[in-house]
Amino acid sequence: MKADLLIKNCAEIHTLKGPRRARRGDEMKETGKVEKGAVAVKDDKITAVGPTEEVEKNYEAQEMIDASGKTVIPGFVDPHTHLIYSGSREDELEMKIKGKTYMEILEEGGGILSTVRSTRKSSKQRLIEQASKRLDTMLRHGTTTAEAKSGYGLDKDNEIKCLEVIEELNKSHPVDLIPTYLGAHSLPPEFDQTGDYIDFCIDEVIPEIAEKGLAEYCDVFCEKGVFDADESRRLLQKAKAVGLKIRVHADEIENIGCSRMAAELGAISGEHLVKTGEEEIRMMAESGTIGILLPGTPFMLMEEEYAPARKMIENDMAVALATDLNPNCWTESMQMIITLACLQMKMTPSEALTAATFNAARAVDRDDIGSLEEGKKADFLVLDVPNHRHIPYRFAVNLVEQVYKEGKRVV
Ligand code: NIG
Ligand code: FE
């Protein structure tokens, strides 16, 4: 049979082949490893994966690449990013070093609100340029699909502007984007009461976004001092009623019942989950809500506490990993996140790989990516390392040598 491309003699291929639903518990260790493997690609899809001898017997390819000593994995899926923003907040890093907390900075009008001011002032074109540069970096570091949130516009026109930027980038950039409306990210300066702002999002913004087809998900920063669980529930119920799927920033700084609410509403994911307790873990395991863990955030906040990943895995909850890319936690690298997941949350390299590929794809409701199987999109990476355990081990450098997106080499 004919193929366009055959990558052969790979030291390891991690196919992540397995059940279609997100992996939980012990399943998270199963990465579908093939030694001395080959991948064959036809058009934009994987047509065969297996031992090199077998694949070579069955396929004649136009282009052959020898990947001896290298490791092939699915492209990373980054299921939680605040991709669209203008400006930067390196000044706040110094405040944090001197002991200010994230919430203190926000209460003084910095943090999210400072990024809102610069994002509101930015033209669409300028936002596209800035986000596009970040997407280039993400792609070079192996991310082939990412969720992207609005949330630095807050008012209707600026939120729509940011979602339109995501729409444009999705057409022009090789990284596939999944758009999320996060209007309820902070109380905008033109409102005094959180309840009134939630009413405004419900009555004025969500219907228009849904009608224009600008978002697939609705998210909310459910947190003490931001939006409480009842306000968040009201917003998410409206989002569901107009056909949006829902995801929740929950239990990041305090546990005020947000992950519980996420499980009760059947959200696809609860995200952050640093303060999540055992009861909520059981509820999310039961409802199939995926925990998207963001270890870059406590790292940048210099916190000692990280999400209880081990407890989640032991209690059969599905776990995914993401960067949380935003001006407070500016990294485009899922490799760095894997390092933090292993070192700070004691995930094993295999679990972290599953969480950054297969489970991350499920956390954005995609089943044509995240694994290397016949018929799936040919989104994969060639890493210049002999096995996947090098990913957390050789930290803060880029181990990605080649990136294939829908069968085409893009890096
Ligand atoms: O997920 N916590 C809320 N939102 C973002 C941070 C946004 C910002 O600080 O600009 C997060 O960490
Ligand atoms: Fe976030």
Side-chain angles (χ1 to χ4, degrees):
M1 284 178 282
K2 298 240 181 280
D4 299 325
L5 170 69
L6 201 143
I7 315 253
K8 60 178 191 174
N9 299 328
C10 313
E12 288 184 351
I13 300 178
H14 292 265
T15 65
L16 276 295
K17 191 173 163 160
R20 291 179 58 145
R21 51 166 182 76
R23 263 166 232 182
R24 11 167 107 204
D26 277 347
E27 295 168 350
M28 285 193 62
K29 294 194 187 78
E30 292 159 19
T31 60
K33 181 168 85 175
V34 181
E35 286 174 11
K36 281 235 166 309
V39 193
V41 175
K42 177 107 184 80
D43 301 322
D44 56 345
K45 301 223 163 49
I46 307 274
T47 164
V49 193
T52 297
E53 271 176 29
E54 266 174 42
V55 178
E56 250 188 335
K57 221 187 296 159
N58 297 329
Y59 285 89
E60 205 179 292
Q62 268 181 4
E63 192 189 351
M64 294 243 246
I65 292 182
D66 185 279
S68 302
K70 299 181 179 164
T71 297
V72 169
I73 61 172
F76 292 124
V77 176
D78 188 344
H80 180 140
T81 82
H82 302 255
L83 177 70
I84 312 304
Y85 58 84
S86 186
S88 59
R89 307 211 306 256
E90 63 279 24
D91 52 333
E92 290 176 12
L93 175 63
E94 286 178 48
M95 297 182 191
K96 288 184 284 179
I97 290 169
K98 289 183 182 140
K100 270 235 163 93
T101 68
Y102 180 77
M103 278 307 188
E104 282 165 358
I105 294 171
L106 181 60
E107 277 152 20
E108 288 165 14
I112 296 175
L113 291 170
S114 124
T115 304
V116 168
R117 287 190 290 276
S118 49
T119 305
R120 284 180 171 183
K121 275 190 235 140
S122 261
S123 67
K124 243 166 108 173
Q125 194 44 41
R126 184 74 194 111
L127 286 170
I128 289 173
E129 283 160 18
Q130 294 177 82
S132 190
K133 253 182 113 172
R134 294 192 273 271
L135 284 174
D136 291 344
T137 310
M138 287 162 78
L139 193 62
R140 279 200 306 276
H141 287 79
T143 297
T144 47
T145 299
E147 184 253 14
K149 303 176 196 293
S150 65
Y152 294 112
L154 307 184
D155 65 35
K156 183 162 88 176
D157 290 349
N158 280 297
E159 282 295 299
I160 288 179
K161 173 178 80 178
C162 292
L163 289 168
E164 285 173 351
V165 166
I166 299 173
E167 191 177 48
E168 287 290 317
L169 288 165
N170 212 3
K171 290 187 202 138
S172 61
H173 200 281
V175 174
D176 281 327
L177 296 176
I178 290 119
T180 295
Y181 166 61
L182 175 60
H185 194 195
S186 184
L187 182 67
E190 50 286 1
F191 280 82
D192 289 325
Q193 303 291 331
T194 47
D196 294 342
Y197 179 58
I198 294 290
D199 287 341
F200 166 79
C201 296
I202 289 175
D203 298 335
E204 310 274 329
V205 191
I206 290 183
E208 190 162 332
I209 282 170
E211 201 200 299
K212 291 192 161 135
L214 282 171
E216 184 172 330
Y217 287 93
C218 180
D219 190 353
V220 52
F221 187 13
C222 184
E223 187 63 56
K224 186 167 176 217
V226 192
F227 299 103
D228 68 25
D230 287 336
E231 290 164 341
S232 303
R233 184 189 300 268
R234 234 159 28 87
L235 177 91
L236 297 173
Q237 273 167 338
K238 171 68 181 192
K240 271 172 88 167
V242 297
L244 298 178
K245 294 178 271 187
I246 58 171
R247 46 199 324 125
V248 186
H249 278 69
D251 309 347
E252 177 187 351
I253 297 157
E254 299 212 19
N255 182 343
I256 56 157
C258 301
S259 59
R260 189 176 284 260
M261 181 267 307
E264 283 165 0
L265 289 185
I268 189 159
S269 55
E271 321 193 355
H272 284 285
L273 307 183
V274 175
K275 302 286 179 178
T276 303
E278 279 183 27
E279 178 58 22
E280 290 91 23
I281 291 176
R282 270 192 290 279
M283 287 176 75
M284 284 188 279
E286 178 74 31
S287 63
T289 300
I290 299 173
I292 301 184
L293 309 187
L294 309 159
T297 310
F299 178 67
M300 284 310 287
L301 294 174
M302 292 166 273
E303 303 278 0
E304 269 162 35
E305 197 176 355
Y306 285 72
R310 284 259 58 89
K311 273 207 188 114
M312 291 173 180
I313 296 171
E314 277 154 23
N315 284 287
D316 245 13
M317 198 181 138
V319 167
L321 288 168
T323 57
D324 196 19
L325 167 64
N326 72 66
N328 175 61
C329 173
W330 191 326
T331 181
E332 289 90 346
S333 172
M334 288 292 283
Q335 297 168 72
M336 181 65 194
I337 296 303
I338 289 176
T339 295
L340 291 171
C342 294
L343 273 75
Q344 304 287 25
M345 303 196 296
K346 308 290 183 273
M347 289 173 73
T348 66
S350 300
E351 289 168 343
L353 179 60
T354 301
T357 56
F358 189 89
N359 278 8
R362 295 310 172 272
V364 288
D365 200 18
R366 295 289 184 275
D367 63 9
D368 56 346
I369 53 170
S371 62
L372 304 176
E373 300 176 69
E374 200 187 317
K376 302 262 161 146
K377 266 194 196 175
D379 290 4
F380 60 91
L381 316 175
V382 179
L383 308 179
D384 190 12
V385 292
N387 65 62
H388 72 294
R389 289 173 295 160
H390 281 246
I391 309 174
Y393 167 58
R394 289 168 58 178
F395 69 100
V397 289
N398 191 5
L399 304 171
V400 171
E401 185 191 87
Q402 300 168 36
V403 179
Y404 293 85
K405 178 70 190 146
E406 289 169 35
K408 300 266 171 316
R409 185 159 176 189
V410 287
V411 170

